[in-house]
Amino acid sequence: MRRVMRHSGVWAGLALGLAALVPTPPASADSPAPAPSAPPRAPVPAIARAWPVGVRPVVVRGWEPPATVYGPGHRGVDLGAPAGAPVRAVAAGRVSFAGRVAGRGVVSVELAGTALRTTYEPVTPSVEKGDEVGAGDVVGALEAAAPHCPATCLHWGLLAGETYLNPLALLPPWLLRTGPSRLLPVLDLPVQRPARRADRVLGSALSPAPPAAPSGRPRP
């Protein structure tokens, strides 16, 4: 009986040793790889000097960054504007593309002094690749074809390489304000205020009276 148990222990040890030597089968090639996460977003300098359409257009749909590179989202902003409205470069730069993509007119401008580029669509371009543009210069006219908007709109995008960023971050605070414009005082200059009525009365009372005119004929 002891001999049988001793042999059973030997065979159990051999089985465990062989199991350790058997390689683990690789993962199935059919299993999907996890989607790459979206790269970190670098800060965007507020260098814009104009909206691409209008003065303060309505944001029909805002920036909705995707969680992954290929995930759902809205890679830009949609600005409401009528068909034919002039589309302007928001900052100085050079036109890197002006043409049609999938039936829609697209203009892309590389912003001067940065690694960023803005895109505008659907636009009938009035510029060509290589043109230098300044902030507020017209680059085209808004086309009516905008199937992703309930009405005519401009899709405005911003990219750093192949990474999409929020184009509204290009706008400084004074362009994002929605209130009426106000005139600000000029500093370090005296302010001329109109005199009040009480000040005028008091001033006239303190002023010396003019000398009386001589009466009669002058003495010889």
Side-chain angles (χ1 to χ4, degrees):
M1 184 67 179
R2 291 179 179 176
R3 184 179 300 175
V4 173
M5 293 179 64
R6 185 168 58 250
H7 286 297
S8 299
V10 172
W11 286 110
L14 290 175
L16 290 174
L18 291 175
L21 295 176
V22 175
T24 303
S28 174
D30 296 333
S31 58
S37 59
R41 301 178 183 90
V44 177
I47 57 175
R49 293 297 175 265
W51 285 87
V53 286
V55 179
R56 288 187 179 92
V58 175
V59 179
V60 180
R61 185 179 179 185
W63 162 251
E64 300 169 9
T68 61
V69 175
Y70 307 109
H74 192 228
R75 296 165 173 82
V77 296
D78 294 335
L79 305 176
V87 177
R88 297 180 293 270
V90 297
R94 183 180 63 86
V95 178
S96 58
F97 180 83
R100 306 199 73 79
V101 177
R104 291 178 297 187
V106 179
V107 173
S108 180
V109 177
E110 296 176 348
L111 303 183
T114 72
L116 305 173
R117 71 181 186 275
T118 53
T119 59
Y120 312 92
E121 59 177 295
V123 174
T124 302
S126 59
V127 292
E128 297 180 352
K129 181 179 179 179
D131 287 351
E132 300 287 338
V133 295
D137 287 353
V138 176
V139 297
L142 183 61
E143 297 177 350
H148 64 288
C149 287
T152 306
C153 71
L154 173 74
H155 182 80
W156 177 28
L158 175 66
L159 295 97
E162 298 303 320
T163 302
Y164 287 88
L165 303 171
N166 184 3
L168 292 177
L170 289 171
L171 300 173
W174 61 271
L175 275 176
L176 286 171
R177 294 192 189 103
T178 57
S181 301
R182 294 182 299 172
L183 295 177
L184 299 179
V186 180
L187 301 179
D188 301 328
L189 290 179
V191 178
Q192 187 72 24
R193 292 187 175 90
R196 296 177 300 175
R197 183 177 182 275
D199 294 338
R200 291 196 300 268
V201 172
L202 180 60
S204 61
L206 296 177
S207 299
S215 59
R217 290 181 297 176
R219 295 179 181 179

